[in-house]
Every structure is written in C-alpha cells, then in structure tokens.
Amino acid sequence: MQAVRQDILPPSGVEFATSLKLIPTTPSKDLSLRHEFVSRVLCNLVVARSNLLRIFEIREEPAPIQASVEEEREKRALVRKGTEAVEGEAAMDTQGDGFISIGKTIQKTDIQQATVTRMYFVREHKLHGTVTGLSGVKIISSLDDKLDRLLVSFKDAKIALLEWSDAVHDLVPVSIHTYERAPQLMSLTAPLFKSQLRVDPLSRCAALGLPNHSIAILPFYQSQAELDSIDLLGDPITNANSESATRDVPYSPSFILNFALQVDPGILTVIDFVFLPGFNNPTLAVLYQTEQTWTGRLNEFKDTSKLIIFTLDISNQSYPILAKVEGLPHDCMYMVPCTEFLVGGLVVVCGDAVVYVDSTRRVAVPVNGWGARISDLPFLPPVDANNALVQKRELKLEGSRAAFIDDKTLFLILRDGTLYTVEVVAEGKTVTKLVMGTAPLAQTAIPAVIESIRGEREHGHGTGHFFVGSTVGPSVLLKAAHVEEEYNDEDDGGDGAVGAGEGGKTAVVDQGDAMDWDDDDDDLYGSSSKPTLPTTSSSLTPAITNTTPKKTRTVLHLSLRDSLPAYGPITSLCFSLTQEGDKPVPELVCTTGSGVTGGFMLWQRDLPVRTKKKLLAHTGGGGGSGGGFEKGVNPFKKEGFDTLVVSTDATPSPGLSRISMRNPNALPGKSDVTITTRIPGTTVGAAPFFQRTAILVVMTNAIKVLEPDGTERQTIQDMDGKMPRPKIRSCSISDPFVLIVREDDSLGLFIGETERGKIRRKDMSPMGDRASRYLAGCFYTDVSGLFEQHYHNSAPNADAATATLQAVVNAGAKSQWLLLVRPQGVLEIWTLPKLTLAFSTDGISALHNVLVDSHEPAALSLPQDPPRKPQEFDVEQILLAPIGESDPKPHLCVFLRSGQLSVYQGLALGQNQAEPVQEPRASHLDVKFVKVTSIAFEILQRGQYDSSEHATASSSSANPGSAAGEKGSTSTTAGGGAGGGSGAASGGSGSSILAEHKKIPRVFVPFVTTPPVVSNPGGPPTPTTTTYSGVFFTGDRPNWIFGTDHGGVQIYPSGHSVVNAFTTCSMWEGRGDFLMYTEDGPTLLEWLPDFNYDYPLPSRSVPRGRSFSNVLFDPSTCLIVAASCMQAKFASYDEDGNRVWEADAPNVSDPVSDTSALELISPDGWVTMDGFEFASNEYVNDVSIVTLETAATETGLKDFIAVGTTIDRGEDLAVKGAHLTLAVAYIFEIVEVVPDPAIAPTRWYKLRLRCRDDAKGPVTAVCGFQGYLVSSMGQKIFVRAFDSDERLVGVAFIDVGIYVTSLRTLKNLLLVGDVVKSVMFVAFQEDPYKLVLLAKDVEHHCITSADFFFTDDGELSIVTGDEEGVIRVYQHNPDDPDSRDGRHLLLRTEFHGQVDYRTSTVIAMRNKDDPSIPQSKLLMGATDGTLFSLTPVEENSFKRLQLLQGQLTRNIQHVAGLNPKAFRTVKNEYNSKPLLKGILDGNLLAHYESLPIARQNEMTQQIGTERHVVLKDWISLSGPW
C-alpha cells in the first residue's frame, strides 16, 4: 500500500527564539511631515518549534485610536462648521450655543505620543530537520552590511549558518556543518541526548552540545586583523583571492572538544554550559556532575553538582581553567550568565533554590523549605525573614526559565507562568545577597524560552522588551522599564508595589493596556526631574498631599505589548457537527494546551460564514447578484445605505440591470429593498464616482454616469466612429479613471472631469498604437505609499506620479497606477495621469518567484493576423490590492488560464540585487514582487468546457430557476464605503468582473471587513477593531485570500461549490456583510465571530483553564464527552491506612498527583452539563464509546461510555485500576430535569454510573466490538460482556506485551499496540469464546498509536507510530514466506515523521469515480501541535509523485541546505536498505505548486509526464478532509 503524509497544521508554539538584526530596513523617517512618530523597526525575532521556523519583525508604532475617540470624532462631525467648541469652551448643546468657561483653562504639557510594539509576520519555512537551537551571530560580512546572521542547530548534530538575501527576500544558506559521523554520536546514549546551542556574546565562536561530555566548536572570523594573521600558502592565486574567499567562508575549521580528556577529567555528566560576557577570549562555564545521586541517596551523596569556568584559546588549542566551584545542590538545572556589570558571575537555578556563583563566593536564596534539607549550601536569611509570605513561600522551579532584564534584575518565570523578580544586591562588584519578590509580579505565558529583544536602549536603563516563548500556549512580548518615582514613607510598599527591597526598588504591572495595548505608556518614560502624566493607578504615582521632601525610588514597570497565538500539544481529537445556519458542518475538536492554557480548539475546513438573509425576491427574477454602493449625495445624513446594482443574463429577464435601494420604512413581512431603476443591457461593472456623488456603470457596449437615484446623467457609447466595437468583457474603476477591456483584447481608458461631472476618453498614445492588445488590467491606489516613495523619474520636466485635481481630491493625495498585462506575458505599471511606464517585467506569466523591473521599454504589439488564440499560460485575471490586518501591504494576485493562482507581496527593491541594471529607464519604480503563496486549480480541458456549456444552456431554458440556469449570471461590484467595500476606498479597482457567457467567471474582488466578536457566551455580537483587508476569488472552488499580522497571507475555501458574483454590502447596516451569488442563489453572509485566522485552517479557541486527555463526540445526542486533567495533593498510606509522611513546615507541602473528571459538554455555548469526579489519586487513561448488549432497547444494543483509569497508591503499594461504564442520561431513561432559564437549552442530560469493575492493574486502553467490551489490564487483554446492565462478565482473554498503549477494532479484528512488544494482530471468535493471535511484529518498538488502514480495493495495512515519531506500515500476508506462515507482520515502510503522535482518527475518503466504496484517511494529532494526515495513493499516481519527489529532492534549494531524504530515512539494523518507498513526503511535494512554470515543466519532462497530470494527482490528495 502507498500513501502520502502531509501536514495540515504546522507545529504550534515557540520552543526556541532569538532576536537579531536579520533583515535590512528601508531608510525611512521615524517622523512624519507633521513631526508625528510613524514607526520604527526594533529588530527581527526568529522562533522555531520542531521543524517550523518563523521570522517576525518587531515594530514600534503609534498607539491606535480607541473606539471612544472614534465616537467622539463622529459626534464632532455632526456639529455645524464654525460652531465647534474651542479650547476652554464647553459645548452646551448640539445647536452650537455655548459659553466660555471662566474656570481654569487647560494647561498644555509636553505629552509624548503613546506607542505600541507589535510583531509582524515576515516568512516561515518547514525545515527538513528538527530545530534544537537558534542564535544570531555576527561574521566579518556584518562589518559591511550591519546585519546579523542566523545560526540554527538540528537534532541530528548539524549547524546551519543562514543569512538574509534581499534578491530573493528569504534566507539563504551560507554553510552547514554536520557532526553526525562523530564518534560521540555512535554511543548508546546518543538517542537520549538533547543537544544545546550556545554562542559567544561577541560572536567569536559557537558551541553545540554532543553526547559523552563533548561539544563542537565553530569559530568565526571577526576582524580584518584575524584575516591578516592567517598563514597563507605561497600560491599567488591563493594570496590574490584570499580576502574574498575568506569572506565567503567566514569561519575557521571546527573541532570537537572533549571536556573530560582536554579540560578536566571530572567533567562526566554535563548539565548545562554557557558563554560568559566580558572576557577577552571566549570563556565557557560548564555545570556538571562527577558522581550522580538522587533523593534516596542524599545521606551518602549530597551537593554533587560542580561548576568550572575556563577560557577557549582556539588558536593554540589550550583551555586554561579560571575557576572551579564545588558543593552545588544536586538538582541544579541551568545557568544564566550575568551581564558585563558582574564579569564572571552567573546564576544557577536549582529545583529549590537560586544560587549566585562566581570565582570567590556562592550566594543562595531558597524558594521553599526543601532547599536546606537536601543541600549543605549556606543559605543567607532573607531580608524580611519575619514576613509571613516568605515563611510560607513554597515554589517549585522545575520547568522554570530565567533571564536578566538589566544588570541586577533577574526575571524568573515558573512553569505555571507566574513571574518573580530576583534582585542581585552588590557592594561595588561584590555580590552580598539575592532578594526575591515576596509575591509574583505577573501571570504570563508558560515559559519554554526567554529572549531579550535587541532593540535600542531606553533612556539608559537597559533593555525595554523581552519575549516569553511557550510550547503549550500563546507566547507574549513584554516591556519592562525603570522609572524614578517620588514617594512618601507611608507609601512604601503600597498596593501594586512588589518586591520592595533595601534599595527601595519595586516592580509594578501597568494595567492601562487591558492585555492589548499600553495606553499609559508615557508612565514608562517619566523621571523625577520631568513632569509625568497622571495614571489611573494610585500606586504608580501617589497624590501629593503635603510639601515634605520626597524620596525617590526606581520602579520597574511591566506591560504586555503583543502575543503570538498558539495552542500547544494535541492530546486527543474527534469530529463533531456544528450548525452554520441550517447547514451542518463537520468540525474537528482537539484537546490542546496544558494547565491554565488547556481547553479545546475547533477547526473547520472552510471559512465559517453565517447566512443572514436570502435575497431571491430582491434580484428581480432570474438570478444574478449585485454590489453595494454607499450613497454620498448627502454627506450629513448619517443613516445612509448602499445602493445595489444587479445584473444577470439568466432567464426570465436576461440582459437587464436593476438599481435597488434599501427602504427602511418597509412594512413587516414586506421586502425592504426597492428597485428604483431598470436599465436595458448587461452591466459589467459599477462603482461610486465623482467623490461618491454619482454611480458609474459599465455596460457591455456603453458607459453610463447615473445620479444617486438612478437617473441618467451621461452615456458614452463604445463605438469606433459609427461602427460598434466588440463587447466589453471586463472593467476596472478607480475614481476618476475607468478602464475597459473588450472581447478582442483591446483597451479603453476614460477619465472623469470633476468640474463638469462627466467623463471623457483619455489619450493612450504614450502606451503604443491603437492596435495594442491586453489580457487584463486594473487600477491601484497606493494607500501604503510604497510606490510613491520608491518612484524615480529622471526625465526633464518630470512631474509626480499624480498631478491632477481629480486624483488628489478622489484618492486623498494617494498616487494612482495602472497595471496592464500584454499577450506576450509582460506586466506593465503606468503612472497616472501622465501614462509614463514605470515598471515592466516578463516573468508574470511564468510566475517567477521574484518580479523586478526589467527596465525595458513598452512592449510592442503582436500582429493580429491571424487572430491570436488563447494560450495555456495567459494571465486571465490580475489585481493589485492591499492585504493584511492592521498594516495592509500591496499584494499582486495573478490567475492563469492553466488554473494556477499566485499571490505576490509588493516590497521595496532593496540595495543588494543579483543583477544590476546596465541602463535604467528614466522613469522606474524601485519595487519588487515576491511570491508568498500559490495554489493550483483543476481546470477542465477545452473540450470538456464546450460540453458543459451546452448542457448549461439547455437546462437553463428548461428550468429557469435552477442553479444551472443561473450559472451564467454576471454581477457588478460597487464600492461600499462604510460597509468596507472595494473600489477606490480600498485602494484597488472598484470592479473587475469577467463577463464571459456560459462560463463561471473567476474574478478577484477586493474587500475590507470587520468581523463581529461575542464578548460573552450567548450575548449579542459587538464590533471589534480587528479589520481584515483581502481579496475574494469567485468562480469554481471560490476562495478567500487575506492576511493577518502573525500568520501572513492565508487562502481559505469559501465552502461553496460555485460563487458567480461577490461584493461587500452595508445595505442592511452590517459593516462586515457580504453579498454573494452561490449555488443557493443570492444570499447575504457574514463571518462568524471569535474565529482566528493565523493558522492554515480557521479556528476557534474554547479556553477551559484545565487540560483534557480525551474527547469523544456522541452522535446520538450531539454532545461532547471529555476527560479533564487536574492536580491534587497526594498522601501516601501504608497497608493499615496510616499516613507515611506528613508536612512539618509551612513551606513544605505534600506532593501532587494527577486526577481526572469526566465532563459532559454541550457544543452550544460549551457549557458543562454534568460531570463525574474520580478519586483524588485516580486519573483517566482512555475513554471510548462502545456498543454493548442490553435488554433496555428493542435492538438489544446501546451505546455506553467506557473509561479506563489508574489509581496511584505510592511507591510501596501496587497500582490499581478500574473500569467505569457510564451512560448518557437519556439512554438510561433518566428523567429530563427542568432546564435553567438563564441557559435555556432545549434538553438537559446527565451522566449516570452503571457499573464499576475493579481491576488488579491499570486499565490503559478500552474499546468495543460485536457488543463486547475490550480492555487491557497490565499484561492481559480481556473481552467482557455487560450482564443484566449492572456487571461485567469476562468471556475471553489473551496475554500480550508489557503495557498496552493502543487498542483498535475492525469487525472482529483487534489491533494491540504495546510500549515494548510493538504491535499484535488479534482476532475474536464467539464459538467458543476465544482471542487468537494472528500475527505480531517481532522487533521491539515503543508504540504510541496503531490503526487499520485500507484502500477502496480492499487492501488492508496496519499503521503504527512510536515515541521517536517513526511511522511504520505493516502487512499481514500468510502467503509470503517471510511471514513464517502468517505469524509475523511484514514491515513494508518506515518513515520518520519527526514527532510522535498519541491520538488519531479515521475518516472516509471517497473516490470521484466510485464514491460508494470509501478508503480510509488517517488524521493524527502530535505532541508539538502538528496535525497531519496519511492518505492512500493510487499506484499510477504514486509512481509519478515518487519520481517528482526525487526531482524536488535533488533540484531545488532547500532551506539551510538540509537533505529531505535523509530526514525521512529511519535507521534500521535489520534491513540493508531504508524502507522509505511506501510513503511520500507531502511537505516536499507541496513545493511543486509554488515553483515557476518553467521549473515545473522541466521537472515533469525529466520524469516523462506532463505538468497538468502531476498537478491533478496532487490536487486530488490535498485538502484536510
């Protein structure tokens, strides 16, 4: 059996992070013309988790305008001009009659503008390796470009050096260093080793941890003096090229350093190692143990950890020891080096204490009562030893992370996210004590990494921002700043002050940002010598009540700036049904997170929308759809509605356009839409014009200017003299310009005259002769300022890009541009209104990865005799529009006739380009377009189109109301204004509709929307400030294309089979409404609230504050059953029931153990309807819905919920287990209770315990088949029957492995996964009752999940996953001699999946040719948050894709120079060749879609097939479910 493994969701969370100056920023002013702060880039942040690498840009911007300020502006807009209240004046009423306030006048103060810090997505890559470390380094080339390089380490002992290339706008590898053949990697302990990457603070070298107390050292050149000192050979060629060669190779040869052999023989077990700052040579501190111990041997061996500090003399290969410290606690975990203020000092974090260590002294502070009991280290008494909080402080530092935010302040974040401050108190350079805050400063993310942001220093007080990355939830960007504040003696230690020490230093959390923005940011920059703004927190700036002299203290302000969404590991998953209107939609429910970040994540395949209204009666009969138009004739009228232009070519009224308006005074039950005007002819496009005082309508043969009420103002017939021209097939409208493209590919350009209120033809002679032909075109309004900033015109008497009164008035001084595509595949950008060529590239039809200006003149027209026929790679649609969230950037959307859609981002050209231009054009645009995403559509061949068109035409005459009959409808789009419409308001063309009859139009339509958000469950939607700008792609397989700040550009299916027309519409007062014509007719839609779009699938988070281990969906009641995980105190008892140990101090507490509860949850509002709590030492292992025999139903069968648990009793007592069989309430005829009126559900259910069966061992897995319950207990598997609905009776058992981790059933077949004995294939028979072992795997693997896997032709395989992330496919074939008469399972494929998965589900995947026979598709949820699928592949397709995979492996440049084949290869000592040919790497094959057309054809030619055949194979396999 063949299959393909492909990621549906990438890894979630952040495990490694580094901040560096990676990407060059375009030189721009930090201040605008009005001296307002615009924005500045602090640095770049690179984060990684598993095989996912993401790059962000950290930018400081002005704080956004709050909603209250927007409302105040709207109120001011209603006041008559000249009657506004001025400074010192109070407006008394809306009529403007006010008086001057003679009270105190407002004093002007020097107020600094509030700023926010945001993270913006730049790039991401799925690497062919597992990342184990990140760091930024400076090499000798950094002296020239002032940029850092990125160093990445991988699990298989590799280090890659990467740098940013402006030419490709991406990372490119400089070098890769591999140590996987080193003797240290051949040891038996190598698979258990986790490598660490450390870099010298001055980038002189990097170190990678290796097994057997060794590290690999990679030295870097840092100065020209180092290059000059290199002893070069006498070869003159070598001497001539030495400098350039060394700059290309910026490192000297690496080597492996064995601590025990070359430094000190006592370094045997390395715990951690770090580089220390402030030394002339690289200096390394190593924390290690010579003799290991544990808590049971503390009487014999205590304080076994040691620290050694030595210098790396790389040139002489000597390592002099500077200091050696012994007697550190045995539970030391990691080290944090101090800053250069305390040279040679570092902080060692242990499980129960924090220790400062340098060459002369050790200073420790305990965090609980265990520190003094397990260590002889002298602990200094705390400063406030009498404080009750200190006496009761009982912290656990396992899983914590720490980092210095300044010279003396250490932030310590515990594993639950609580943040404490630790102050290093020093007298001069001598540390005397450590002072820890008495209470936590804040609750932040559960930490995996803390990274200080390398931005500019704030007022000399140290760093401003630091990043806390988390693997189980969101990661946050925090800002810490020191402020000198005055205080009275009685104010010391007031509310909000945390950790006041002897220096009067406190820490507070700014509350003004409300977890989103820091509005009181001016607080962070105040000082005692300058006036500061008052704040809402009295603890921050106490009120001055007397004139006594004030003392000053340094206050540490902490505020949240931004966060990266994440959900953490996936522990269980299932499918449920949700309702979107009247349509049930499958939804994937995953249990994610850990602890306080635990909860559910809900995933949908398509972008979720809600149907607000069906508009069959509003379209005037047959069909079609329309566009919104914001009425602008009365700007003082607040409640203005859109005007709708509807056009269709479907019966019963083809070729008729209607103009509709909203009638707010309509009677109940009557239509609230009134058709005001009917215009004969089919409308191609419409948009507001003349500053929203008129409607411009483009017909197939004319252009009309209409008044707001629909009356005609002007009509221009599209005639060539007296001869009619070919019909207009598309148009683009951007006030004051109109572009039309006719069916013969000729062009027409019109301009509006604002003074006359009419339009006229515009001279196009600068663009070439009249016979020029164009495939597509659109306007673009440069709302971002990118084009205007990078446009250069060296021609004499050159004007700016836009210079007309109309353009300035209409576009708000934003320049307008015209994009055209010629038949020979040349994209041209022309300035308006001068029509000067500014950009030209011939790579648009080939979909090159980067499009830059070729500086060629305007392309010549092709001869029209004979007429040109459409080509496969012709550009069918093009649109340049802003896409993004809070900072939309221009994106170029391109669609080819071959079905390829690509999205390019417009960026500044940059300085370092690959090919400098010899003769630049006088007028040129220094921008580039970089491909960010690409997707392929399956396009019917021409013969198939013809047959489908004839069928559509015939069916439309037979059934006018059918969807097929309305397929040929066309629509128009008009700018929506307040409704977030398109057109000039959004910076793109108002309407660009392809009006080809008898063919579904594929059109790019820009939109801007603000989706609603529900603040409380069940409450009304409230508006939010989140605004998305994007493009909707109509036609077959319609898609939404838009971007987010943290996720980049996403392409989501709309969920409709076809969308003929689309527009934003605010006719019904909804700012986020969309009007689209689908297979169900014209409907008004809106996005569902509270969805997140940062992932490849739309998602909704349901936080619960606790994690869940299992989740099930009960189809009979449509309820969710989940097992939650919590922590409870654990007490150990002996056989007589007496407690073995009790806590004897307030700062020493009982240990904790896992406990569980079973919850019955309603997906409507996610309300817990009922629950069952287990004992405090009992937790759930597995939950399953099983069908058991019962006498309570007519069929004799009923669904029950089976739960397997484990009861922990301590080390001296055996583990027990239990079966719990519970039933959903109504199945067991539980009387429905009266629902709570506050919740008011239709029905209410409860859990009822039916049977409890004690077992002698842990019940680790449960399932059911043929009316029986199957469960594992220790080393046995039991089959039990449910007797009399009250007890379980065993009917069969079988001895299996050591510990069963997985049970799967198929009819009477059973699949058993074991933690040691791999997988077993078992069958069950009833006469007599017996479990029979059919076959098993003879090798030993730790199986985490095992599943049946079958195709539509009946071929059955077994798929397993182990704890190393290896996917294996087995086959049971008794006819094969290697199977030993069928007793052994045959291993067919081994594939490294990079991460282990603990949960999976099987779904049906149906073939288009024969949908009645499904084949299975496996969905797996991994521990790093990855959701991936395993899909069976037909044999012919598999052969083609396998050959293509080989071409992609060899012929494209992979990120960091990694080898995809080596990454997926599994080392097997029992097979001579890797068993890799049964599973395809979907992550590698996905690169084929985004390759340029020429590269796609080149690869398919080498494997003897065609491009469209391979794409068809890939499209049939893509899709989440």
Short mmCIF file of all heavy atoms in Angstrom, two decimals, residues 998-1017:
data_model
loop_
_atom_site.label_atom_id
_atom_site.label_comp_id
_atom_site.label_asym_id
_atom_site.label_seq_id
_atom_site.Cartn_x
_atom_site.Cartn_y
_atom_site.Cartn_z
N LYS A 998 -21.74 31.77 -20.42
CA LYS A 998 -21.71 30.31 -20.38
C LYS A 998 -20.42 29.79 -19.76
O LYS A 998 -19.93 28.75 -20.09
CB LYS A 998 -21.87 29.72 -21.79
CG LYS A 998 -23.18 30.10 -22.45
CD LYS A 998 -23.27 29.52 -23.83
CE LYS A 998 -24.54 29.97 -24.54
NZ LYS A 998 -24.63 29.44 -25.89
N LYS A 999 -19.85 30.56 -18.87
CA LYS A 999 -18.66 30.14 -18.15
C LYS A 999 -18.65 30.85 -16.81
O LYS A 999 -18.95 32.03 -16.72
CB LYS A 999 -17.41 30.50 -18.95
CG LYS A 999 -16.11 30.11 -18.26
CD LYS A 999 -14.93 30.56 -19.10
CE LYS A 999 -13.62 30.27 -18.37
NZ LYS A 999 -12.46 30.75 -19.11
N ILE A 1000 -18.33 30.10 -15.78
CA ILE A 1000 -18.31 30.69 -14.45
C ILE A 1000 -17.17 31.69 -14.37
O ILE A 1000 -16.01 31.33 -14.59
CB ILE A 1000 -18.15 29.61 -13.38
CG1 ILE A 1000 -19.28 28.59 -13.48
CG2 ILE A 1000 -18.12 30.21 -11.99
CD1 ILE A 1000 -19.09 27.39 -12.60
N PRO A 1001 -17.45 32.96 -14.07
CA PRO A 1001 -16.37 33.95 -14.06
C PRO A 1001 -15.48 33.78 -12.83
O PRO A 1001 -15.96 33.64 -11.70
CB PRO A 1001 -17.11 35.29 -14.02
CG PRO A 1001 -18.43 34.97 -13.40
CD PRO A 1001 -18.77 33.56 -13.80
N ARG A 1002 -14.19 33.77 -13.07
CA ARG A 1002 -13.21 33.76 -11.98
C ARG A 1002 -12.65 35.18 -11.87
O ARG A 1002 -11.94 35.64 -12.76
CB ARG A 1002 -12.10 32.76 -12.26
CG ARG A 1002 -12.55 31.30 -12.28
CD ARG A 1002 -11.35 30.39 -12.54
NE ARG A 1002 -11.73 28.99 -12.59
CZ ARG A 1002 -11.77 28.18 -11.54
NH1 ARG A 1002 -11.46 28.66 -10.36
NH2 ARG A 1002 -12.10 26.92 -11.65
N VAL A 1003 -12.98 35.83 -10.78
CA VAL A 1003 -12.68 37.25 -10.64
C VAL A 1003 -12.09 37.51 -9.25
O VAL A 1003 -12.50 36.90 -8.27
CB VAL A 1003 -13.95 38.10 -10.83
CG1 VAL A 1003 -13.61 39.58 -10.80
CG2 VAL A 1003 -14.64 37.74 -12.12
N PHE A 1004 -11.11 38.41 -9.18
CA PHE A 1004 -10.58 38.91 -7.92
C PHE A 1004 -11.40 40.13 -7.50
O PHE A 1004 -11.49 41.11 -8.25
CB PHE A 1004 -9.12 39.32 -8.04
CG PHE A 1004 -8.18 38.17 -8.27
CD1 PHE A 1004 -7.44 38.07 -9.44
CD2 PHE A 1004 -8.03 37.18 -7.31
CE1 PHE A 1004 -6.57 37.01 -9.64
CE2 PHE A 1004 -7.17 36.12 -7.51
CZ PHE A 1004 -6.44 36.03 -8.67
N VAL A 1005 -12.00 40.07 -6.32
CA VAL A 1005 -12.79 41.19 -5.81
C VAL A 1005 -12.21 41.60 -4.46
O VAL A 1005 -12.23 40.80 -3.52
CB VAL A 1005 -14.27 40.83 -5.65
CG1 VAL A 1005 -15.07 42.04 -5.20
CG2 VAL A 1005 -14.82 40.26 -6.95
N PRO A 1006 -11.68 42.80 -4.32
CA PRO A 1006 -11.12 43.22 -3.03
C PRO A 1006 -12.22 43.50 -2.02
O PRO A 1006 -13.35 43.86 -2.37
CB PRO A 1006 -10.34 44.49 -3.38
CG PRO A 1006 -11.01 45.03 -4.59
CD PRO A 1006 -11.51 43.84 -5.36
N PHE A 1007 -11.89 43.32 -0.75
CA PHE A 1007 -12.85 43.60 0.31
C PHE A 1007 -12.10 44.05 1.56
O PHE A 1007 -10.91 43.78 1.74
CB PHE A 1007 -13.72 42.37 0.62
CG PHE A 1007 -12.96 41.24 1.28
CD1 PHE A 1007 -12.83 41.17 2.66
CD2 PHE A 1007 -12.38 40.23 0.51
CE1 PHE A 1007 -12.13 40.13 3.26
CE2 PHE A 1007 -11.70 39.19 1.10
CZ PHE A 1007 -11.57 39.14 2.48
N VAL A 1008 -12.83 44.73 2.42
CA VAL A 1008 -12.37 45.10 3.76
C VAL A 1008 -13.51 44.80 4.71
O VAL A 1008 -14.66 45.20 4.46
CB VAL A 1008 -11.98 46.59 3.86
CG1 VAL A 1008 -11.53 46.94 5.26
CG2 VAL A 1008 -10.90 46.94 2.86
N THR A 1009 -13.22 44.08 5.79
CA THR A 1009 -14.29 43.69 6.70
C THR A 1009 -13.81 43.76 8.13
O THR A 1009 -12.62 43.62 8.42
CB THR A 1009 -14.79 42.26 6.39
OG1 THR A 1009 -15.90 41.96 7.24
CG2 THR A 1009 -13.70 41.23 6.61
N THR A 1010 -14.75 43.99 9.02
CA THR A 1010 -14.51 43.96 10.46
C THR A 1010 -15.45 42.93 11.05
O THR A 1010 -16.64 43.19 11.26
CB THR A 1010 -14.78 45.34 11.10
OG1 THR A 1010 -13.94 46.31 10.46
CG2 THR A 1010 -14.48 45.31 12.58
N PRO A 1011 -14.98 41.70 11.29
CA PRO A 1011 -15.88 40.66 11.78
C PRO A 1011 -16.33 40.95 13.19
O PRO A 1011 -15.62 41.58 13.98
CB PRO A 1011 -15.03 39.39 11.70
CG PRO A 1011 -13.63 39.86 11.76
CD PRO A 1011 -13.61 41.21 11.10
N PRO A 1012 -17.53 40.48 13.55
CA PRO A 1012 -18.01 40.70 14.92
C PRO A 1012 -17.29 39.79 15.90
O PRO A 1012 -16.66 38.80 15.53
CB PRO A 1012 -19.50 40.37 14.83
CG PRO A 1012 -19.57 39.38 13.70
CD PRO A 1012 -18.51 39.77 12.73
N VAL A 1013 -17.40 40.14 17.17
CA VAL A 1013 -16.84 39.32 18.24
C VAL A 1013 -17.88 39.25 19.36
O VAL A 1013 -18.56 40.24 19.65
CB VAL A 1013 -15.51 39.90 18.77
CG1 VAL A 1013 -15.70 41.28 19.34
CG2 VAL A 1013 -14.89 38.97 19.80
N VAL A 1014 -18.06 38.08 19.93
CA VAL A 1014 -19.00 37.90 21.03
C VAL A 1014 -18.23 37.98 22.32
O VAL A 1014 -17.34 37.16 22.59
CB VAL A 1014 -19.73 36.54 20.92
CG1 VAL A 1014 -20.64 36.33 22.11
CG2 VAL A 1014 -20.54 36.50 19.63
N SER A 1015 -18.55 38.99 23.13
CA SER A 1015 -17.80 39.18 24.37
C SER A 1015 -18.21 38.18 25.43
O SER A 1015 -17.38 37.74 26.23
CB SER A 1015 -18.03 40.61 24.88
OG SER A 1015 -19.42 40.87 25.02
N ASN A 1016 -19.47 37.81 25.49
CA ASN A 1016 -19.92 36.82 26.47
C ASN A 1016 -20.70 35.75 25.74
O ASN A 1016 -21.38 36.02 24.76
CB ASN A 1016 -20.80 37.48 27.53
CG ASN A 1016 -21.98 38.23 26.92
OD1 ASN A 1016 -21.87 38.73 25.82
ND2 ASN A 1016 -23.09 38.30 27.63
N PRO A 1017 -20.60 34.49 26.20
CA PRO A 1017 -21.31 33.41 25.51
C PRO A 1017 -22.81 33.67 25.47
O PRO A 1017 -23.43 33.97 26.48
CB PRO A 1017 -20.97 32.17 26.35
CG PRO A 1017 -19.71 32.53 27.07
CD PRO A 1017 -19.79 34.00 27.31
#
